Amino acid sequence: MGKTRLIDENGLRSDGRRADELRPIKIEVGTLENANGSAYIEQGKCKILAAVYGPHEAHPRHLTQPDRAILRCRYHMAPFSVPERKSPAPSRREIELSKVIRESLEPVVMTELFPRTMIDIFIEVLQADGGTRCVGLTAASLALADAGIPLRGLVCACAAGKVDGQIVLDLNDLEDKEGEADCPIAFIPQLNVFSLLQMDGLMLAEEYEKAVNLALEGCRRIYEMQIEAIKKKYREAKAEDNNQ
Ligand code: UDP
């Protein structure tokens, strides 16, 4: 291949993982006091915060929909989140990712319950190391749940891809940049639907199928962690109430 080897002779990746392993994940729900809902996720070296405001009166007013709430999403990378300082102004990539993430969340939000209002979702990437759209989506879905907004399900997201000719789960930045392909997906277990399916790079049809199935398996594992993180928040809130 003539490039840096990303998988060694023992089958271990640059960060010591096996092909089907997720990065270590830490999820916290209700991190922020002032937002209506929030969640913070560390996945490997990625550190991402999501916050939700709303439903609130729609601004500008002309965006108001008489029969539903409208969803707005801003995915933003902090200037210090990447090795080379990023301009704080929204880039083309951030505008595209904001749209893609909003569209991936739309199927679960019961917007019809809140006509003439707006729900704002903010995703702040504090530290990036590949896969930020997926981690951001997983966090945003939890922030919506934490805001008490009725949902049809949770959205869980994870990527799989091709690195050194092998199909691997949850690519880090090096694998994303030096690997052959990256395929981020989002899945809604309660509805049994995919709400995001993207691909960057090249794979054979059978590799693509294998990658999507592996990413789906990653989503299912992340979903279990999302549920556990929500339960933990409510257990802690209850314990606090009991102590008062
Ligand atoms: N990245 C960067 N500078 C940028 C944008 C991205 O260093 O301005 C890095 C960052 O680690 C990010 C990775 O490139 O996670 C992959 O970016 P991509 O556009 O594939 O989106 P992601 O995989 O984060 O969803």
Side-chain angles (χ1 to χ4, degrees):
M1 229 166 279
K3 290 196 301 180
T4 334
R5 278 197 66 186
L6 298 171
I7 301 183
D8 72 13
E9 57 284 3
N10 299 316
L12 297 179
R13 295 155 66 181
S14 56
D15 51 15
R17 282 181 292 156
R18 302 221 160 263
D20 62 351
E21 260 184 88
L22 289 167
R23 292 175 280 187
I25 298 179
K26 199 175 102 186
I27 303 183
E28 185 183 84
V29 174
T31 312
L32 302 173
E33 185 86 4
N34 297 334
N36 295 125
S38 57
Y40 171 69
I41 303 192
E42 287 181 9
Q43 187 157 333
K45 291 186 195 154
C46 282
K47 298 184 181 195
I48 299 186
L49 194 55
V52 165
Y53 272 106
H56 60 80
E57 200 179 327
H59 300 291
R61 292 287 275 278
H62 71 266
L63 294 176
T64 306
Q65 291 296 322
D67 56 345
R68 63 180 172 92
I70 52 172
L71 228 56
R72 266 199 319 199
C73 177
R74 188 189 73 172
Y75 162 100
H76 180 249
M77 277 185 142
F80 48 80
S81 65
V82 285
E84 217 150 285
R85 179 191 175 275
K86 195 208 137 275
S87 156
S91 63
R92 250 184 85 133
R93 173 181 170 276
E94 285 166 301
I95 294 167
E96 184 211 316
L97 287 191
S98 299
K99 176 177 182 286
V100 162
I101 292 172
R102 174 176 55 75
E103 288 173 351
S104 306
L105 292 166
E106 265 166 353
V108 296
V109 184
M110 296 188 186
T111 53
E112 68 279 10
L113 299 180
F114 305 100
R116 310 183 66 78
T117 67
M118 179 174 258
I119 299 168
D120 285 315
I121 302 158
F122 298 98
I123 296 170
E124 284 293 322
V125 180
L126 305 177
Q127 189 166 286
D129 188 39
T132 59
R133 80 194 61 200
C134 291
V135 181
L137 246 170
T138 302
S141 147
L142 285 171
L144 283 166
D146 185 46
I149 293 169
L151 303 175
R152 294 184 176 84
L154 283 174
V155 184
C156 38
C158 188
K162 185 176 168 186
V163 167
D164 276 1
Q166 278 195 47
I167 303 302
V168 300
L169 184 63
D170 189 19
L171 280 68
N172 61 31
D173 186 44
L174 179 71
E175 294 172 329
D176 185 312
K177 297 218 162 67
E178 305 284 328
E180 294 95 292
D182 180 30
C183 174
I185 71 160
F187 183 66
I188 305 165
Q190 288 87 350
L191 305 180
N192 199 28
V193 299
F194 289 91
S195 63
L196 174 80
L197 200 51
Q198 294 187 301
M199 190 166 88
D200 188 14
L202 287 174
M203 273 190 266
L204 298 171
E206 57 267 30
E207 290 172 335
Y208 176 71
E209 200 180 324
K210 198 173 163 199
V212 170
N213 282 326
L214 187 58
L216 183 58
E217 170 57 28
C219 286
R220 291 194 194 279
R221 284 186 229 159
I222 289 170
Y223 173 69
E224 297 299 323
M225 294 182 229
Q226 284 178 306
I227 296 290
E228 194 40 51
I230 294 176
K231 285 186 183 163
K232 182 166 182 273
K233 151 127 197 222
Y234 285 101
R235 270 200 304 271
E236 285 170 1
K238 206 169 158 203
E240 221 166 87
D241 281 352
N242 290 342
N243 288 339
Q244 275 171 8

